[in-house]
């Protein structure tokens, strides 16, 4: 069975005539007939039956037509896909990341991406989710990792990451012995967290406010490269209770440097969303980078 046989068969079914099919394919009527007859012999079924002057599909023909259309449609997409791959040899991609999470993993992910596509230049901007959302709408960046769902309907998003945020303490802290730590008790401790306006800090303040605790008195760690390590270090040295994604403290927990407090009322998650403008959803570069992030090599 060849693609040319399938194309001849599908064209006859569409045109309703071997003669018209031959003209559409730029071959003679006998050649079109021979292709279909050869296909029938190979499959050992009758694909057309003659009712009047027009060939009509048999039941086998109708089933084959659906399959043939799927195959031919896929084949038609091959040149476009290859053009997109060739288009990735050169180009510029402008990426935005919100918060410390993207500040720490995006530079690494971009370097790995550039090894696969060395001809592509990638510009990285680290700002707040609000600022990056505006840049997407203005067309100043191609893609962003945001800590919340975008508000505009012009922006498309998919959940990239969702992680539990936990309270951490040094191993000998008195609260580590409790089966459950209420937020009101936690609020009386020195707290170590990111600066105001950052996603985890915002979620903490909202959660504390729900319990009637109006403000957090905290040791603030500025949003910069390595601040996650700084929080772990400050907490491990006994200077307060910290808040980080669980995945980022497990190595210290296993090593005995930190412990996770049991705070049922905390129940907050750090999220990341891959966000693009609707106009960018078919860009080969943007699609390639999103596919890369979805893979294990791009995960933080």
């Amino acid at each position: 069975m060849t693609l040319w046989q399938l194309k001849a068969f599908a064209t006859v079914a569409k045109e309703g005539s071997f003669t018209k099919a031959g003209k559409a394919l730029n071959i003679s009527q006998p050649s079109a007939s021979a292709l279909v007859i050869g296909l029938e012999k190979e499959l050992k079924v009758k694909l057309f039956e003659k009712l009047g002057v027009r060939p009509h599909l048999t039941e086998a023909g109708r089933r084959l037509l659906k399959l043939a259309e799927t195959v031919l449609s896929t084949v038609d997409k091959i040149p476009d896909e290859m053009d997109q791959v060739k288009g990735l040899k050169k180009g510029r991609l402008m990426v935005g990341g919100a918060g410390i999470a993207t500040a720490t993993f995006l530079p690494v992910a971009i370097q790995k991406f550039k090894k696969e596509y060395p001809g592509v230049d990638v510009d990285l901007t680290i700002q707040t989710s609000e600022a990056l959302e505006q840049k997407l709408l203005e067309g100043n960046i191609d893609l962003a990792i945001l800590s919340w769902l975008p508000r505009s309907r012009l922006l498309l998003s998919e959940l990239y990451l969702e992680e539990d945020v936990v309270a951490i303490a040094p191993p000998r802290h008195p609260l580590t012995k409790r089966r459950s730590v209420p937020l009101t008790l936690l609020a009386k401790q020195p707290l170590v967290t990111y600066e105001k306006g950052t996603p985890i800090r915002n979620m903490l303040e909202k959660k504390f406010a729900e319990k009637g605790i109006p403000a957090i008195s905290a040791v603030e760690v500025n949003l910069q490269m390595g601040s996650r390590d700084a929080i772990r270090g400050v907490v491990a040295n006994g200077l307060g209770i910290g808040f980080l994604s669980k995945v980022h403290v497990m190595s210290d927990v296993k090593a005995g440097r930190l412990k996770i407090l049991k705070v049922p009322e905390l129940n907050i998650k750090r999220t990341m969303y891959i966000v693009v403008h609707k106009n960018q959803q078919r860009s080969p570069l943007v699609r390639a980078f999103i596919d890369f992030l979805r893979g294990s090599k791009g995960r933080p």
Side-chain angles (χ1 to χ4, degrees):
M1 184 190 314
T2 66
L3 287 174
W4 193 233
Q5 285 176 314
L6 288 177
K7 191 170 185 66
F9 160 70
T11 305
V12 172
K14 177 183 177 182
E15 298 291 340
S17 162
F18 283 91
T19 301
K20 290 181 180 179
K23 289 181 180 179
L25 296 172
N26 200 27
I27 60 176
S28 66
Q29 182 271 336
S31 295
S33 297
L35 286 168
V36 174
I37 291 171
L39 186 59
E40 288 179 325
K41 287 181 178 179
E42 184 172 347
L43 297 176
K44 296 181 173 59
V45 294
K46 197 72 175 172
L47 298 175
F48 292 102
E49 56 185 352
K50 197 167 184 180
L51 301 175
V53 295
R54 292 171 57 90
H56 291 266
L57 287 168
T58 62
E59 176 61 24
R62 285 191 289 272
R63 293 193 181 192
L64 179 61
L65 182 60
K66 291 181 180 180
L67 296 172
E69 287 175 340
T70 300
V71 171
L72 294 172
S73 175
T74 301
V75 171
D76 288 342
K77 292 177 182 177
I78 290 176
D80 181 57
E81 290 295 324
M82 295 303 100
D83 286 343
Q84 290 185 7
V85 171
K86 289 185 286 186
L88 293 178
K89 289 182 179 179
K90 291 184 179 180
R92 178 176 294 276
L93 184 67
M94 294 174 288
V95 178
I100 186 61
T102 50
T104 52
F105 89 82
L106 260 183
V108 177
I110 287 171
Q111 287 303 313
K112 291 180 179 179
F113 180 76
K114 282 178 63 64
K115 286 182 180 179
E116 292 192 18
Y117 305 100
V120 176
D121 294 322
V122 184
D123 294 334
L124 174 62
T125 300
I126 303 293
Q127 289 187 334
T128 63
S129 289
E130 185 175 15
L132 291 174
E133 187 172 340
Q134 188 60 36
K135 283 184 176 293
L136 283 168
L137 290 170
E138 294 171 353
N140 293 324
I141 56 175
D142 302 311
L143 172 147
I145 306 294
L146 305 185
S147 56
W148 62 46
L149 282 168
R151 300 174 179 85
S152 174
R153 294 183 178 180
L154 294 175
L155 302 180
L156 305 176
S157 64
E158 68 172 80
L159 181 63
Y160 175 51
L161 190 68
E162 185 176 63
E163 297 173 339
D164 290 324
V165 174
V166 295
I168 52 175
R172 296 184 180 180
H173 194 284
L175 292 183
T176 62
K177 298 177 182 179
R178 296 180 65 101
R179 292 183 179 179
S180 178
V181 181
L183 281 181
T184 51
L185 181 56
L186 203 63
K188 296 177 181 178
Q189 305 293 318
L191 303 180
V192 184
T193 185
Y194 297 119
E195 59 190 324
K196 277 184 172 293
T198 53
I200 289 182
R201 178 64 176 269
N202 287 342
M203 288 187 289
L204 282 173
E205 291 185 342
K206 180 179 179 181
K207 187 64 67 171
F208 275 61
E210 290 173 358
K211 294 296 178 181
I213 305 167
I216 296 177
S217 176
V219 176
E220 291 189 357
V221 177
N222 290 333
L223 184 62
Q224 58 186 355
M225 298 291 284
S227 59
R228 183 191 298 153
D229 293 333
I231 290 178
R232 292 202 301 255
V234 170
V235 173
N237 285 306
L239 299 181
I241 304 297
F243 300 90
L244 286 171
S245 297
K246 185 176 181 179
V247 68
H248 295 133
V249 301
M250 290 310 298
S251 60
D252 290 287
V253 171
K254 291 177 181 178
R257 290 187 291 268
L258 294 171
K259 279 200 171 183
I260 296 175
L261 300 178
K262 298 177 181 178
V263 190
E265 295 171 302
L266 191 57
N267 192 29
I268 59 177
K269 297 180 182 294
R270 177 175 72 98
T271 55
M272 290 188 202
Y273 296 90
I274 299 174
V275 184
V276 298
H277 195 286
K278 283 186 176 180
N279 294 341
Q280 288 289 354
Q281 62 181 314
R282 293 189 61 81
S283 163
L285 269 179
V286 171
R287 286 171 58 188
F289 192 65
I290 290 175
D291 288 341
F292 174 80
L293 289 175
R294 287 171 179 158
S296 59
K297 290 180 292 185
R299 298 296 270 190

